Amino acid sequence: MFYEFEDISCVLPTGQRIAAHAMGKGPAVLLLHGFPQTKAMWAKVAPLLAQNFRVVVADLRGYGDSDKPKPTDNADNYSFRLMGQDMAALMQGLGHTYFHLIGHDRGGRVAHRMALDYSARITSLAVLDIVPTHALFNSFDRHVAKAYWHWFFLSQPAPFPQAMIEAAPDMFFETCLTGWGKAGLSVFDPAALADYRRAWRDKATIAAMCADYRAAALVDILDDEQSLQTKVTCPTLVYYGADGVMAQHYDLGHIWSDYAANITLQSEKGGHFFIDQYPHEVAKKLLHYLKQNESALPA
């Protein structure tokens, strides 16, 4: 890897292996990546946060170097709930009963589910450039559907989407990176981009990512419907790219106020992948937020 870290990859009690790195000392912070990336997306952010915190970065189930169980028919073994269980077990195994939680894209959706399922353990939450899954599924219009077409393609029954992607994985995933990011591939660190490519060229990873989106449509939406009367109680940072699809089509503060009781809004220049594009600015703002809530106690 292209930054200094401690390899803390481990096998969970469930038998699932989660690939993870750690650095720094202090209150624990867990960073979760999104689609179609890996934990490498945090390579320039994590060291800056680690000046004040114990930072853990992990690959989600099915992504990067974490295990990729064969998807079930309805992909329920790739639900946000199970991905969250992986991460909660990882942090418990590392001795972090309480921790701050930051997630981008799919990692943000896992983090949202974790803040509901493990509210007694989450000190603060930051969700980066997402609208809650339930809200998104119930508000697609032609503009959002055109931009987020992959939600519908990837969730089609196996093996159709993965077979199509396997024919040209770089073309497919790089189209995703440039389509939502409002910038070219040049904004991605070459070493990070190489790690993304290494991961997404693996057939098992492609199948897992499709299962992730299939689970969202078949499993996660039902879990979310059962949680509609429960709001996230910990401090919640809603951080988004000012030029991204979410900011252009949604009132993020209004929507998130229905799902979290204590939100703070923060924008960043750039589109969906503003973390890759502006890592130092992102680290500065995240560090400020974490310090504000450093001593907060979970509800």
Side-chain angles (χ1 to χ4, degrees), residues 39-113:
K39 59 184 177 297
M41 68 167 284
W42 300 107
K44 292 185 177 180
V45 173
L48 299 177
L49 301 184
Q51 296 174 17
N52 297 86
F53 294 88
R54 176 64 169 173
V55 179
V56 177
V57 294
D59 283 329
L60 296 171
R61 170 187 298 224
Y63 288 77
D65 294 313
S66 288
D67 277 354
K68 302 160 184 65
K70 183 178 179 180
T72 58
D73 288 344
N74 70 344
D76 58 355
N77 58 340
Y78 280 92
S79 69
F80 295 139
R81 173 159 276 154
L82 281 188
M83 289 183 178
Q85 286 179 5
D86 291 342
M87 296 303 152
L90 171 69
M91 295 302 280
Q92 189 68 55
L94 296 173
H96 304 308
T97 301
Y98 308 107
F99 54 95
H100 300 274
L101 183 55
I102 299 172
H104 174 252
D105 190 82
R106 308 307 280 184
R109 301 184 187 284
V110 173
H112 181 201
R113 172 45 57 187

Side-chain angles (χ1 to χ4, degrees), residues 12 16 25 31-32 39 45 56-57 68 83 87 96 109 134 145 156 177 179 187 200 217 225 238 246 276 296 299:
L12 305 179
Q16 179 78 18
K25 295 181 179 179
L31 305 180
L32 300 178
K39 59 184 177 297
V45 173
V56 177
V57 294
K68 302 160 184 65
M83 289 183 178
M87 296 303 152
H96 304 308
R109 301 184 187 284
H134 178 270
Q156 294 303 304
L177 292 181
V187 305
W200 72 42
E225 287 176 354
V238 177
M246 295 295 96
D276 291 84

Side-chain angles (χ1 to χ4, degrees), residues 3-188:
Y3 62 103
E4 295 183 1
F5 61 88
E6 302 169 37
D7 187 347
I8 56 169
S9 304
C10 65
V11 177
L12 305 179
T14 59
Q16 179 78 18
R17 181 183 181 277
I18 295 297
H21 298 161
M23 62 186 71
K25 295 181 179 179
V29 181
L30 174 61
L31 305 180
L32 300 178
H33 66 86
F35 169 93
Q37 298 173 283
T38 69
K39 59 184 177 297
M41 68 167 284
W42 300 107
K44 292 185 177 180
V45 173
L48 299 177
L49 301 184
Q51 296 174 17
N52 297 86
F53 294 88
R54 176 64 169 173
V55 179
V56 177
V57 294
D59 283 329
L60 296 171
R61 170 187 298 224
Y63 288 77
D65 294 313
S66 288
D67 277 354
K68 302 160 184 65
K70 183 178 179 180
T72 58
D73 288 344
N74 70 344
D76 58 355
N77 58 340
Y78 280 92
S79 69
F80 295 139
R81 173 159 276 154
L82 281 188
M83 289 183 178
Q85 286 179 5
D86 291 342
M87 296 303 152
L90 171 69
M91 295 302 280
Q92 189 68 55
L94 296 173
H96 304 308
T97 301
Y98 308 107
F99 54 95
H100 300 274
L101 183 55
I102 299 172
H104 174 252
D105 190 82
R106 308 307 280 184
R109 301 184 187 284
V110 173
H112 181 201
R113 172 45 57 187
M114 289 178 69
L116 295 171
D117 290 351
Y118 303 96
S119 60
R121 297 183 56 191
I122 309 303
T123 307
S124 72
L125 172 69
V127 286
L128 278 55
D129 211 60
I130 64 167
V131 165
T133 305
H134 178 270
L136 193 64
F137 266 126
N138 286 280
S139 64
F140 271 110
D141 62 19
R142 61 188 177 89
H143 303 290
V144 178
K146 180 180 179 181
Y148 273 29
W149 53 271
H150 64 292
W151 277 61
F152 305 101
F153 171 67
L154 294 170
S155 63
Q156 294 303 304
F160 168 64
Q162 55 260 45
M164 297 287 285
I165 296 168
E166 286 170 10
D170 287 357
M171 176 185 291
F172 177 81
F173 291 113
E174 288 172 14
T175 296
C176 295
L177 292 181
T178 57
W180 317 317
K182 305 299 181 183
L185 290 177
S186 62
V187 305
F188 295 92

Side-chain angles (χ1 to χ4, degrees), residues 244-263:
V245 174
M246 295 295 96
Q248 291 176 356
H249 295 285
Y250 295 98
D251 182 338
L252 293 173
H254 176 73
I255 289 178
W256 271 104
S257 65
D258 290 335
Y259 294 84
N262 181 13
I263 67 170

